[in-house]
């Protein structure tokens, strides 16, 4: 059995004096944040027995911020999103963060604005998922005037007013979905696209990317009029069944927002011979099962753990450094799941 690392071992590993390690361990005299962090990282590397105590001492010196998050109605995806936000807040190394999480019950602008304002009254910064609307832009401007930064998540809104956008490059997401349908379809035919609402800037960008790819690279496919499903399973299910019945030459379908469970239910029920290529968003139990059954061909997902860590770090920067100090857009690479890699 190896000898347990000592304080002298830790001081050498961290490149600081034994006295500095002692101050970090016992909370004596102020120690620079960067130095304390270096000691903590060294303790974790060498397995120092009091690494947990150092972590606790280090965090006690950090500023504490309450961060507000407004997500859409409690679907499975947003429940998972909330768990990742809680975890990222608890693990933040630059400050102590408390995540205040609320869920909208509808997409109505007045409800979203009311919940945003309620969160902002208790938070130093707020991040929300919401459709774009003039009422929301006005509310974000009012909060900005009060010094409360607001971030848009997954779908942008209030551009030029909000502090920053954190999510995917939605135009690329749409083009990727189109590329897969064009490559995987057995033959050219009709293609369907579902969006939650054109008020979602992200959905609109996905539609633009989707249609631009077919226009430029696969004009032999015929795109149907875009379908609005309000992010609901039931509307998607009923509409998908009608599409399969009305268009036997349906070659592909992309559900660009929520409601993909309905498309999967319809495909499973109808079992069309040589059925359309189905592209969904977010790897959840329903979409994972659809991939395994070859009902879905590809699932495009946001990397939630990384997104939440990046978001909370940016919110802290905006609080500490003031407005205009974080990127206006932060794009994260999206995950792609296929039947053979789940």
């Amino acid at each position: 059995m190896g000898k347990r690392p000592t304080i002298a071992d830790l001081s050498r590993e961290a490149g600081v004096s034994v006295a500095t390690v002692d101050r970090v361990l016992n909370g004596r005299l102020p120690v620079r944040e960067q130095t304390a962090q270096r000691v903590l990282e060294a303790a974790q590397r060498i397995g120092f027995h009091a690494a947990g105590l150092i972590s606790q001492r280090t965090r006690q010196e950090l500023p504490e911020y309450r961060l507000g998050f407004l997500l859409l109605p409690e679907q499975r995806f947003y429940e998972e999103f909330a768990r990742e936000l809680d975890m990222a807040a608890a693990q933040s190394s630059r400050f102590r963060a408390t995540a205040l999480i609320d869920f909208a019950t509808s997409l109505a602008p007045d409800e979203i604005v009311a919940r945003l304002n309620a969160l902002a009254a208790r938070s130093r910064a707020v991040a929300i998922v919401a459709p774009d609307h003039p009422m929301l832009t006005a509310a974000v401007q009012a909060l900005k005037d009060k010094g409360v930064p607001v971030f848009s998540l997954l779908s942008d809104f209030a551009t030029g007013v909000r502090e920053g956008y954190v999510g995917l490059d939605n135009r690329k997401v749409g083009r990727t979905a189109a590329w897969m349908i064009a490559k995987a379809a057995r033959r050219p035919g009709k293609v369907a696209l579902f969006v939650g609402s054109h008020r979602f800037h992200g959905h609109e960008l996905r539609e633009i990317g989707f249609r631009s790819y077919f226009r430029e690279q696969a004009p032999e496919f015929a795109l149907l009029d875009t379908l609005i499903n309000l992010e609901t399973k039931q509307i998607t299910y009923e509409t998908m069944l009608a599409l399969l019945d009305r268009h036997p030459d349906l070659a592909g379908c992309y559900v660009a927002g929520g409601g993909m469970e309905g498309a999967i239910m319809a495909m499973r029920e109808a079992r069309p011979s040589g059925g359309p290529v189905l592209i969904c968003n977010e790897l959840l139990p329903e979409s994972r099962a659809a991939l395994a059954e070859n009902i879905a061909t590809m699932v495009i997902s946001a990397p939630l753990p990384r997104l939440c860590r990046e978001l909370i770090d940016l919110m802290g920067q905006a609080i500490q450094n003031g407005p205009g100090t974080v990127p206006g857009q932060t794009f994260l690479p999206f995950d792609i799941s296929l039947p053979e890699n789940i």
Side-chain angles (χ1 to χ4, degrees), residues 38-65:
R38 193 160 75 244
V39 172
L40 172 60
E41 291 169 357
Q44 292 169 336
R45 280 197 304 272
I46 68 174
F48 187 69
H49 67 280
L53 176 61
I54 294 173
S55 177
Q56 182 180 355
R57 298 285 193 203
T58 302
R59 286 188 63 79
Q60 285 176 351
E61 302 300 319
L62 297 176
E64 184 172 3
Y65 303 133

PDB file of all heavy atoms in Angstrom, residues 38-65:
ATOM      1  N   ARG A  38      -5.753  26.014  -7.233  1.00  0.00           N
ATOM      2  CA  ARG A  38      -4.599  25.192  -7.605  1.00  0.00           C
ATOM      3  C   ARG A  38      -4.308  24.141  -6.531  1.00  0.00           C
ATOM      4  O   ARG A  38      -4.002  22.994  -6.842  1.00  0.00           O
ATOM      5  CB  ARG A  38      -3.378  26.079  -7.834  1.00  0.00           C
ATOM      6  CG  ARG A  38      -2.241  25.358  -8.526  1.00  0.00           C
ATOM      7  CD  ARG A  38      -1.266  26.318  -9.180  1.00  0.00           C
ATOM      8  NE  ARG A  38      -0.406  26.979  -8.220  1.00  0.00           N
ATOM      9  CZ  ARG A  38      -0.382  28.279  -7.983  1.00  0.00           C
ATOM     10  NH1 ARG A  38      -1.197  29.079  -8.643  1.00  0.00           N
ATOM     11  NH2 ARG A  38       0.448  28.810  -7.100  1.00  0.00           N
ATOM     12  N   VAL A  39      -4.436  24.542  -5.282  1.00  0.00           N
ATOM     13  CA  VAL A  39      -4.226  23.590  -4.182  1.00  0.00           C
ATOM     14  C   VAL A  39      -5.299  22.494  -4.221  1.00  0.00           C
ATOM     15  O   VAL A  39      -5.001  21.307  -4.040  1.00  0.00           O
ATOM     16  CB  VAL A  39      -4.240  24.321  -2.824  1.00  0.00           C
ATOM     17  CG1 VAL A  39      -4.230  23.318  -1.666  1.00  0.00           C
ATOM     18  CG2 VAL A  39      -3.048  25.266  -2.721  1.00  0.00           C
ATOM     19  N   LEU A  40      -6.539  22.880  -4.473  1.00  0.00           N
ATOM     20  CA  LEU A  40      -7.625  21.900  -4.549  1.00  0.00           C
ATOM     21  C   LEU A  40      -7.382  20.903  -5.676  1.00  0.00           C
ATOM     22  O   LEU A  40      -7.510  19.689  -5.492  1.00  0.00           O
ATOM     23  CB  LEU A  40      -8.962  22.616  -4.752  1.00  0.00           C
ATOM     24  CG  LEU A  40     -10.172  21.719  -5.044  1.00  0.00           C
ATOM     25  CD1 LEU A  40     -10.418  20.733  -3.920  1.00  0.00           C
ATOM     26  CD2 LEU A  40     -11.419  22.570  -5.304  1.00  0.00           C
ATOM     27  N   GLU A  41      -7.041  21.390  -6.846  1.00  0.00           N
ATOM     28  CA  GLU A  41      -6.805  20.503  -7.992  1.00  0.00           C
ATOM     29  C   GLU A  41      -5.632  19.568  -7.728  1.00  0.00           C
ATOM     30  O   GLU A  41      -5.670  18.386  -8.094  1.00  0.00           O
ATOM     31  CB  GLU A  41      -6.566  21.336  -9.249  1.00  0.00           C
ATOM     32  CG  GLU A  41      -7.810  22.077  -9.726  1.00  0.00           C
ATOM     33  CD  GLU A  41      -7.527  23.098 -10.809  1.00  0.00           C
ATOM     34  OE1 GLU A  41      -6.334  23.275 -11.166  1.00  0.00           O
ATOM     35  OE2 GLU A  41      -8.486  23.737 -11.288  1.00  0.00           O
ATOM     36  N   ALA A  42      -4.580  20.066  -7.080  1.00  0.00           N
ATOM     37  CA  ALA A  42      -3.429  19.218  -6.739  1.00  0.00           C
ATOM     38  C   ALA A  42      -3.839  18.149  -5.736  1.00  0.00           C
ATOM     39  O   ALA A  42      -3.430  16.983  -5.843  1.00  0.00           O
ATOM     40  CB  ALA A  42      -2.301  20.082  -6.178  1.00  0.00           C
ATOM     41  N   ALA A  43      -4.666  18.530  -4.753  1.00  0.00           N
ATOM     42  CA  ALA A  43      -5.125  17.563  -3.742  1.00  0.00           C
ATOM     43  C   ALA A  43      -5.938  16.450  -4.387  1.00  0.00           C
ATOM     44  O   ALA A  43      -5.804  15.269  -4.031  1.00  0.00           O
ATOM     45  CB  ALA A  43      -5.949  18.290  -2.684  1.00  0.00           C
ATOM     46  N   GLN A  44      -6.767  16.803  -5.354  1.00  0.00           N
ATOM     47  CA  GLN A  44      -7.574  15.795  -6.041  1.00  0.00           C
ATOM     48  C   GLN A  44      -6.697  14.886  -6.895  1.00  0.00           C
ATOM     49  O   GLN A  44      -6.941  13.680  -6.994  1.00  0.00           O
ATOM     50  CB  GLN A  44      -8.644  16.485  -6.893  1.00  0.00           C
ATOM     51  CG  GLN A  44      -9.704  17.198  -6.055  1.00  0.00           C
ATOM     52  CD  GLN A  44     -10.606  18.096  -6.866  1.00  0.00           C
ATOM     53  OE1 GLN A  44     -10.240  18.567  -7.950  1.00  0.00           O
ATOM     54  NE2 GLN A  44     -11.805  18.371  -6.353  1.00  0.00           N
ATOM     55  N   ARG A  45      -5.657  15.447  -7.502  1.00  0.00           N
ATOM     56  CA  ARG A  45      -4.761  14.636  -8.347  1.00  0.00           C
ATOM     57  C   ARG A  45      -4.004  13.587  -7.549  1.00  0.00           C
ATOM     58  O   ARG A  45      -3.850  12.452  -7.990  1.00  0.00           O
ATOM     59  CB  ARG A  45      -3.764  15.539  -9.085  1.00  0.00           C
ATOM     60  CG  ARG A  45      -4.283  16.223 -10.316  1.00  0.00           C
ATOM     61  CD  ARG A  45      -3.155  16.735 -11.202  1.00  0.00           C
ATOM     62  NE  ARG A  45      -2.246  17.623 -10.499  1.00  0.00           N
ATOM     63  CZ  ARG A  45      -2.414  18.938 -10.384  1.00  0.00           C
ATOM     64  NH1 ARG A  45      -3.478  19.506 -10.915  1.00  0.00           N
ATOM     65  NH2 ARG A  45      -1.528  19.682  -9.736  1.00  0.00           N
ATOM     66  N   ILE A  46      -3.499  13.970  -6.381  1.00  0.00           N
ATOM     67  CA  ILE A  46      -2.640  13.037  -5.623  1.00  0.00           C
ATOM     68  C   ILE A  46      -3.424  12.234  -4.593  1.00  0.00           C
ATOM     69  O   ILE A  46      -2.852  11.392  -3.891  1.00  0.00           O
ATOM     70  CB  ILE A  46      -1.481  13.784  -4.928  1.00  0.00           C
ATOM     71  CG1 ILE A  46      -1.990  14.699  -3.802  1.00  0.00           C
ATOM     72  CG2 ILE A  46      -0.648  14.556  -5.946  1.00  0.00           C
ATOM     73  CD1 ILE A  46      -0.877  15.348  -2.991  1.00  0.00           C
ATOM     74  N   GLY A  47      -4.723  12.477  -4.497  1.00  0.00           N
ATOM     75  CA  GLY A  47      -5.525  11.725  -3.536  1.00  0.00           C
ATOM     76  C   GLY A  47      -5.297  12.147  -2.102  1.00  0.00           C
ATOM     77  O   GLY A  47      -5.318  11.312  -1.187  1.00  0.00           O
ATOM     78  N   PHE A  48      -5.074  13.438  -1.882  1.00  0.00           N
ATOM     79  CA  PHE A  48      -4.853  13.956  -0.531  1.00  0.00           C
ATOM     80  C   PHE A  48      -6.115  13.738   0.303  1.00  0.00           C
ATOM     81  O   PHE A  48      -7.228  13.995  -0.143  1.00  0.00           O
ATOM     82  CB  PHE A  48      -4.499  15.444  -0.595  1.00  0.00           C
ATOM     83  CG  PHE A  48      -4.097  16.031   0.720  1.00  0.00           C
ATOM     84  CD1 PHE A  48      -2.906  15.664   1.330  1.00  0.00           C
ATOM     85  CD2 PHE A  48      -4.916  16.953   1.364  1.00  0.00           C
ATOM     86  CE1 PHE A  48      -2.532  16.208   2.557  1.00  0.00           C
ATOM     87  CE2 PHE A  48      -4.548  17.507   2.581  1.00  0.00           C
ATOM     88  CZ  PHE A  48      -3.354  17.128   3.188  1.00  0.00           C
ATOM     89  N   HIS A  49      -5.933  13.261   1.548  1.00  0.00           N
ATOM     90  CA  HIS A  49      -7.068  12.805   2.344  1.00  0.00           C
ATOM     91  C   HIS A  49      -8.061  13.924   2.675  1.00  0.00           C
ATOM     92  O   HIS A  49      -9.243  13.656   2.910  1.00  0.00           O
ATOM     93  CB  HIS A  49      -6.577  12.157   3.649  1.00  0.00           C
ATOM     94  CG  HIS A  49      -5.915  13.117   4.589  1.00  0.00           C
ATOM     95  ND1 HIS A  49      -4.608  13.537   4.435  1.00  0.00           N
ATOM     96  CD2 HIS A  49      -6.389  13.768   5.699  1.00  0.00           C
ATOM     97  CE1 HIS A  49      -4.293  14.380   5.410  1.00  0.00           C
ATOM     98  NE2 HIS A  49      -5.350  14.532   6.183  1.00  0.00           N
ATOM     99  N   ALA A  50      -7.616  15.167   2.676  1.00  0.00           N
ATOM    100  CA  ALA A  50      -8.504  16.281   3.039  1.00  0.00           C
ATOM    101  C   ALA A  50      -8.953  17.079   1.818  1.00  0.00           C
ATOM    102  O   ALA A  50      -9.303  18.257   1.940  1.00  0.00           O
ATOM    103  CB  ALA A  50      -7.806  17.192   4.049  1.00  0.00           C
ATOM    104  N   ALA A  51      -8.951  16.460   0.655  1.00  0.00           N
ATOM    105  CA  ALA A  51      -9.373  17.173  -0.550  1.00  0.00           C
ATOM    106  C   ALA A  51     -10.801  17.691  -0.415  1.00  0.00           C
ATOM    107  O   ALA A  51     -11.125  18.801  -0.861  1.00  0.00           O
ATOM    108  CB  ALA A  51      -9.251  16.264  -1.771  1.00  0.00           C
ATOM    109  N   GLY A  52     -11.670  16.904   0.215  1.00  0.00           N
ATOM    110  CA  GLY A  52     -13.047  17.338   0.413  1.00  0.00           C
ATOM    111  C   GLY A  52     -13.144  18.579   1.284  1.00  0.00           C
ATOM    112  O   GLY A  52     -13.929  19.487   1.018  1.00  0.00           O
ATOM    113  N   LEU A  53     -12.315  18.631   2.336  1.00  0.00           N
ATOM    114  CA  LEU A  53     -12.293  19.801   3.209  1.00  0.00           C
ATOM    115  C   LEU A  53     -11.783  21.030   2.467  1.00  0.00           C
ATOM    116  O   LEU A  53     -12.333  22.131   2.612  1.00  0.00           O
ATOM    117  CB  LEU A  53     -11.409  19.523   4.430  1.00  0.00           C
ATOM    118  CG  LEU A  53     -11.201  20.696   5.401  1.00  0.00           C
ATOM    119  CD1 LEU A  53     -12.532  21.138   5.990  1.00  0.00           C
ATOM    120  CD2 LEU A  53     -10.209  20.307   6.491  1.00  0.00           C
ATOM    121  N   ILE A  54     -10.754  20.829   1.639  1.00  0.00           N
ATOM    122  CA  ILE A  54     -10.221  21.951   0.852  1.00  0.00           C
ATOM    123  C   ILE A  54     -11.294  22.478  -0.093  1.00  0.00           C
ATOM    124  O   ILE A  54     -11.469  23.687  -0.248  1.00  0.00           O
ATOM    125  CB  ILE A  54      -8.966  21.516   0.076  1.00  0.00           C
ATOM    126  CG1 ILE A  54      -7.834  21.173   1.048  1.00  0.00           C
ATOM    127  CG2 ILE A  54      -8.511  22.611  -0.889  1.00  0.00           C
ATOM    128  CD1 ILE A  54      -6.618  20.569   0.385  1.00  0.00           C
ATOM    129  N   SER A  55     -12.027  21.559  -0.725  1.00  0.00           N
ATOM    130  CA  SER A  55     -13.109  21.972  -1.621  1.00  0.00           C
ATOM    131  C   SER A  55     -14.138  22.801  -0.872  1.00  0.00           C
ATOM    132  O   SER A  55     -14.600  23.844  -1.352  1.00  0.00           O
ATOM    133  CB  SER A  55     -13.765  20.735  -2.245  1.00  0.00           C
ATOM    134  OG  SER A  55     -14.856  21.106  -3.052  1.00  0.00           O
ATOM    135  N   GLN A  56     -14.492  22.356   0.335  1.00  0.00           N
ATOM    136  CA  GLN A  56     -15.474  23.088   1.142  1.00  0.00           C
ATOM    137  C   GLN A  56     -14.946  24.463   1.520  1.00  0.00           C
ATOM    138  O   GLN A  56     -15.652  25.466   1.411  1.00  0.00           O
ATOM    139  CB  GLN A  56     -15.795  22.271   2.391  1.00  0.00           C
ATOM    140  CG  GLN A  56     -16.840  22.916   3.285  1.00  0.00           C
ATOM    141  CD  GLN A  56     -17.119  22.070   4.514  1.00  0.00           C
ATOM    142  OE1 GLN A  56     -16.617  20.954   4.667  1.00  0.00           O
ATOM    143  NE2 GLN A  56     -17.919  22.606   5.417  1.00  0.00           N
ATOM    144  N   ARG A  57     -13.679  24.534   1.978  1.00  0.00           N
ATOM    145  CA  ARG A  57     -13.080  25.813   2.356  1.00  0.00           C
ATOM    146  C   ARG A  57     -13.021  26.758   1.155  1.00  0.00           C
ATOM    147  O   ARG A  57     -13.292  27.956   1.272  1.00  0.00           O
ATOM    148  CB  ARG A  57     -11.662  25.601   2.884  1.00  0.00           C
ATOM    149  CG  ARG A  57     -11.551  24.768   4.131  1.00  0.00           C
ATOM    150  CD  ARG A  57     -11.977  25.523   5.350  1.00  0.00           C
ATOM    151  NE  ARG A  57     -11.595  24.824   6.553  1.00  0.00           N
ATOM    152  CZ  ARG A  57     -12.165  24.980   7.740  1.00  0.00           C
ATOM    153  NH1 ARG A  57     -13.169  25.829   7.853  1.00  0.00           N
ATOM    154  NH2 ARG A  57     -11.763  24.308   8.787  1.00  0.00           N
ATOM    155  N   THR A  58     -12.665  26.191  -0.007  1.00  0.00           N
ATOM    156  CA  THR A  58     -12.534  27.009  -1.209  1.00  0.00           C
ATOM    157  C   THR A  58     -13.875  27.610  -1.606  1.00  0.00           C
ATOM    158  O   THR A  58     -13.979  28.793  -1.936  1.00  0.00           O
ATOM    159  CB  THR A  58     -11.956  26.174  -2.360  1.00  0.00           C
ATOM    160  OG1 THR A  58     -10.689  25.643  -1.958  1.00  0.00           O
ATOM    161  CG2 THR A  58     -11.763  27.009  -3.606  1.00  0.00           C
ATOM    162  N   ARG A  59     -14.919  26.790  -1.569  1.00  0.00           N
ATOM    163  CA  ARG A  59     -16.238  27.264  -1.981  1.00  0.00           C
ATOM    164  C   ARG A  59     -16.790  28.309  -1.021  1.00  0.00           C
ATOM    165  O   ARG A  59     -17.564  29.176  -1.428  1.00  0.00           O
ATOM    166  CB  ARG A  59     -17.215  26.091  -2.108  1.00  0.00           C
ATOM    167  CG  ARG A  59     -16.956  25.241  -3.334  1.00  0.00           C
ATOM    168  CD  ARG A  59     -18.055  24.213  -3.551  1.00  0.00           C
ATOM    169  NE  ARG A  59     -19.344  24.813  -3.811  1.00  0.00           N
ATOM    170  CZ  ARG A  59     -19.728  25.315  -4.974  1.00  0.00           C
ATOM    171  NH1 ARG A  59     -18.907  25.294  -6.001  1.00  0.00           N
ATOM    172  NH2 ARG A  59     -20.932  25.845  -5.124  1.00  0.00           N
ATOM    173  N   GLN A  60     -16.410  28.242   0.255  1.00  0.00           N
ATOM    174  CA  GLN A  60     -16.903  29.218   1.213  1.00  0.00           C
ATOM    175  C   GLN A  60     -16.457  30.637   0.868  1.00  0.00           C
ATOM    176  O   GLN A  60     -17.105  31.611   1.237  1.00  0.00           O
ATOM    177  CB  GLN A  60     -16.424  28.858   2.625  1.00  0.00           C
ATOM    178  CG  GLN A  60     -17.177  27.689   3.244  1.00  0.00           C
ATOM    179  CD  GLN A  60     -16.604  27.291   4.599  1.00  0.00           C
ATOM    180  OE1 GLN A  60     -15.553  27.770   5.003  1.00  0.00           O
ATOM    181  NE2 GLN A  60     -17.311  26.405   5.282  1.00  0.00           N
ATOM    182  N   GLU A  61     -15.338  30.738   0.167  1.00  0.00           N
ATOM    183  CA  GLU A  61     -14.801  32.047  -0.185  1.00  0.00           C
ATOM    184  C   GLU A  61     -15.409  32.606  -1.470  1.00  0.00           C
ATOM    185  O   GLU A  61     -15.169  33.752  -1.832  1.00  0.00           O
ATOM    186  CB  GLU A  61     -13.272  31.961  -0.357  1.00  0.00           C
ATOM    187  CG  GLU A  61     -12.537  31.467   0.876  1.00  0.00           C
ATOM    188  CD  GLU A  61     -12.764  32.373   2.077  1.00  0.00           C
ATOM    189  OE1 GLU A  61     -12.767  33.599   1.885  1.00  0.00           O
ATOM    190  OE2 GLU A  61     -12.948  31.853   3.192  1.00  0.00           O
ATOM    191  N   LEU A  62     -16.176  31.777  -2.178  1.00  0.00           N
ATOM    192  CA  LEU A  62     -16.712  32.196  -3.464  1.00  0.00           C
ATOM    193  C   LEU A  62     -17.984  33.022  -3.296  1.00  0.00           C
ATOM    194  O   LEU A  62     -18.741  32.822  -2.343  1.00  0.00           O
ATOM    195  CB  LEU A  62     -17.030  30.963  -4.328  1.00  0.00           C
ATOM    196  CG  LEU A  62     -15.854  30.075  -4.729  1.00  0.00           C
ATOM    197  CD1 LEU A  62     -16.347  28.861  -5.496  1.00  0.00           C
ATOM    198  CD2 LEU A  62     -14.836  30.844  -5.546  1.00  0.00           C
ATOM    199  N   PRO A  63     -18.251  33.950  -4.208  1.00  0.00           N
ATOM    200  CA  PRO A  63     -19.526  34.678  -4.160  1.00  0.00           C
ATOM    201  C   PRO A  63     -20.689  33.737  -4.431  1.00  0.00           C
ATOM    202  O   PRO A  63     -20.523  32.689  -5.060  1.00  0.00           O
ATOM    203  CB  PRO A  63     -19.382  35.719  -5.277  1.00  0.00           C
ATOM    204  CG  PRO A  63     -18.368  35.141  -6.212  1.00  0.00           C
ATOM    205  CD  PRO A  63     -17.413  34.353  -5.348  1.00  0.00           C
ATOM    206  N   GLU A  64     -21.854  34.101  -3.955  1.00  0.00           N
ATOM    207  CA  GLU A  64     -23.043  33.257  -4.123  1.00  0.00           C
ATOM    208  C   GLU A  64     -24.088  34.001  -4.953  1.00  0.00           C
ATOM    209  O   GLU A  64     -24.428  35.153  -4.651  1.00  0.00           O
ATOM    210  CB  GLU A  64     -23.622  32.884  -2.759  1.00  0.00           C
ATOM    211  CG  GLU A  64     -24.793  31.923  -2.849  1.00  0.00           C
ATOM    212  CD  GLU A  64     -25.237  31.410  -1.496  1.00  0.00           C
ATOM    213  OE1 GLU A  64     -24.674  31.853  -0.478  1.00  0.00           O
ATOM    214  OE2 GLU A  64     -26.141  30.556  -1.466  1.00  0.00           O
ATOM    215  N   TYR A  65     -24.600  33.342  -5.997  1.00  0.00           N
ATOM    216  CA  TYR A  65     -25.587  33.956  -6.878  1.00  0.00           C
ATOM    217  C   TYR A  65     -26.799  33.032  -7.017  1.00  0.00           C
ATOM    218  O   TYR A  65     -26.648  31.814  -7.159  1.00  0.00           O
ATOM    219  CB  TYR A  65     -25.014  34.188  -8.279  1.00  0.00           C
ATOM    220  CG  TYR A  65     -23.761  35.021  -8.316  1.00  0.00           C
ATOM    221  CD1 TYR A  65     -22.667  34.617  -9.072  1.00  0.00           C
ATOM    222  CD2 TYR A  65     -23.672  36.227  -7.617  1.00  0.00           C
ATOM    223  CE1 TYR A  65     -21.503  35.382  -9.124  1.00  0.00           C
ATOM    224  CE2 TYR A  65     -22.528  36.995  -7.657  1.00  0.00           C
ATOM    225  CZ  TYR A  65     -21.440  36.568  -8.405  1.00  0.00           C
ATOM    226  OH  TYR A  65     -20.304  37.320  -8.451  1.00  0.00           O
TER     227      TYR A  65
END
